[in-house]
Amino acid sequence: MTQIHTHTTLKLTKRLRRLRTSAAMRALVQETRLSPDMFVLPLFVCEGEGVRREVTSMPGVHNLSVDEAVLEVERAKGEGIGSVLLFGIPDRKDDIGSLAYDPEAPVQSAIRAIKRTLPDVLVMTDVCLCEYTDHGHCGIVIGDEIANDPSVDQLVRAAVSHAAAGADIVAPSDMMDGRVGAIRQALDERGFNQTAIMSYAAKYCSAFYGPFRDAAGSTPQFGDRKTHQMDPANVREALREVEQDIEEGADIVMVKPALPYLDVIARVKDTFGYPTAAYHVSGEYSMLKAAVRNGWLDERRAMLESLTAIRRAGADIIITYYAREAARAIG
Ligand code: PBG
């Protein structure tokens, strides 16, 4: 090694490296921490028994029958995770998504089964029609339009059926106007005034939902979701969406996706100070998994860095397919 002959000592009043000198020192001044109880594990519930079918584009994520879903929730709870978010994969679809509010459909059955076995686990449900319609759209299609108000009627039916099955939180993800207020009113009228609403308030029209549509079989058969989901270029509009959902009665507001929208998370949190959730979506997960499989990224570090960044931006709640792995990594 080349010798460096220097005796220079800078006269500095501040040396920021002092607080980075050891693991204990770094832990002492760490500003952002993760804990498993802020993670929500999404689960895809399908028909049948003993089914555990891996989603090709999402390694480690499965379509689960109700019995398998209960086992998965049990394992997650053992790792410190307190909540799950259920999506349904029905066997049968139609043009109005009627299985979305069938009391015997996978989601409703899973809610009851989880609540029976693990009553302390918070059960959240995704409220949308796209997994239930044969055309794959989030609402009722009339002509070539996704008709707002008739779609809201159907979403209300789905939300009420989830509440009736015992869901703690319903989470409308459709982005129709007025759905939060309509769901709140319907829940209250039926005696479910303790069922909370987490609205997918600022949900962008994102390429990063690709693998999810693979998992849920919900790719639109024609057109796209640009007339209801938000333009990725907009942030002031996100604040208007969030404001409207809060006025209509949302208890928790969500920004989705997460990593490409950290500025939106920060603005929403700073502006409203409401419980704020961020959805680290399927594409964000699959990108990491793909790079890890190629040996290009260290999974543990990339995963924790991603989730820490989402938390640092202001998310109180992180919905992530990495929930269990992350809980184990920090536990
Ligand atoms: C249903 C819904 C979607 C996601 C959550 N709820 C798909 C979509 O809007 O196309 C995406 C979740 C993910 O990508 O992980 N509308």
Side-chain angles (χ1 to χ4, degrees):
M1 221 184 60
T2 318
Q3 287 287 322
I4 301 175
H5 297 283
T6 169
H7 301 284
T8 311
T9 302
L10 297 174
K11 273 204 172 343
L12 295 180
T13 47
K14 289 193 181 131
R15 287 186 182 270
L16 294 176
R17 290 182 57 189
R18 252 176 233 140
L19 298 183
R20 298 176 202 142
T21 47
S22 67
M25 191 71 95
R26 292 188 290 273
L28 191 70
V29 298
Q30 188 166 71
E31 297 177 26
T32 306
R33 285 172 215 267
L34 294 170
S35 87
D37 51 15
M38 67 181 64
F39 299 146
V40 179
L41 176 68
L43 295 175
F44 297 103
V45 189
C46 63
E47 307 273 359
E49 231 189 285
V51 182
R52 191 177 167 82
R53 197 169 45 232
E54 191 166 55
V55 180
T56 321
S57 55
M58 301 178 73
V61 175
H62 302 81
N63 287 357
L64 304 166
S65 52
V66 171
D67 54 325
E68 288 288 330
V70 172
L71 293 176
E72 185 74 13
V73 179
E74 216 160 7
R75 289 185 207 110
K77 180 157 172 37
E79 291 158 350
I81 290 161
S83 1
V84 294
L85 173 62
L86 305 182
F87 293 90
I89 322 262
D91 267 356
R92 200 162 38 77
K93 303 185 188 225
D94 60 27
D95 59 342
I96 58 165
S98 55
L99 244 60
Y101 44 88
D102 184 324
E104 300 309 320
V107 164
Q108 288 81 353
S109 310
I111 300 167
R112 290 191 297 268
I114 294 166
K115 280 289 164 192
R116 206 160 42 233
T117 332
L118 302 150
D120 298 339
V121 172
L122 275 184
V123 177
M124 311 181 176
T125 58
D126 186 86
V127 176
C128 194
L129 298 184
C130 66
E131 299 117 70
Y132 299 94
T133 50
D134 47 18
H135 44 68
H137 280 294
C138 307
I140 302 290
V141 176
I142 299 178
D144 54 6
E145 228 181 87
I146 298 152
N148 194 86
D149 301 8
S151 301
V152 170
D153 275 346
Q154 292 295 81
L155 295 160
V156 165
R157 289 192 177 100
V160 166
S161 84
H162 295 170
D168 300 288
I169 300 180
V170 293
S173 70
D174 51 282
M175 289 294 280
M176 296 299 125
D177 285 325
R179 88 279 206 221
V180 172
I183 290 172
R184 184 68 274 157
Q185 191 187 334
L187 291 175
D188 291 352
E189 282 167 6
R190 288 163 183 79
F192 300 118
N193 60 13
Q194 293 303 305
T195 310
I197 299 178
M198 172 170 74
S199 76
Y200 287 67
K203 176 173 177 179
Y204 287 87
C205 189
S206 170
F208 294 103
Y209 308 150
F212 171 94
R213 293 180 190 169
D214 203 15
S218 62
T219 309
Q221 299 305 302
F222 57 90
D224 52 41
R225 307 219 201 285
K226 286 186 182 154
T227 67
H228 47 107
Q229 299 181 347
M230 283 185 49
D231 183 340
N234 295 355
V235 63
R236 291 189 300 271
E237 187 187 3
L239 300 180
R240 294 201 294 275
E241 282 284 0
V242 170
E243 183 175 36
Q244 178 174 323
D245 284 4
I246 290 174
E247 277 169 10
E248 289 182 24
D251 301 283
I252 300 170
V253 290
M254 190 203 297
V255 175
K256 176 186 171 195
L259 269 192
Y261 297 86
L262 294 182
D263 58 323
V264 182
I265 297 171
R267 293 278 294 273
V268 165
K269 183 61 175 293
D270 290 349
T271 307
F272 301 101
Y274 246 65
T276 304
Y279 199 141
H280 183 240
V281 301
S282 58
E284 301 179 68
Y285 173 83
S286 298
M287 280 197 295
L288 287 179
K289 284 283 175 191
V292 167
R293 286 196 158 190
N294 275 301
W296 295 340
L297 285 177
D298 176 308
E299 182 160 36
R300 186 179 190 281
R301 290 187 57 206
M303 165 182 77
L304 292 179
E305 187 175 330
S306 300
L307 299 175
T308 301
I310 295 166
R311 171 81 176 147
R312 192 192 61 230
D316 303 295
I317 300 163
I318 305 177
I319 302 154
T320 176
Y321 303 96
Y322 264 125
R324 291 191 56 202
E325 278 176 80
R328 286 198 296 272
I330 60 184

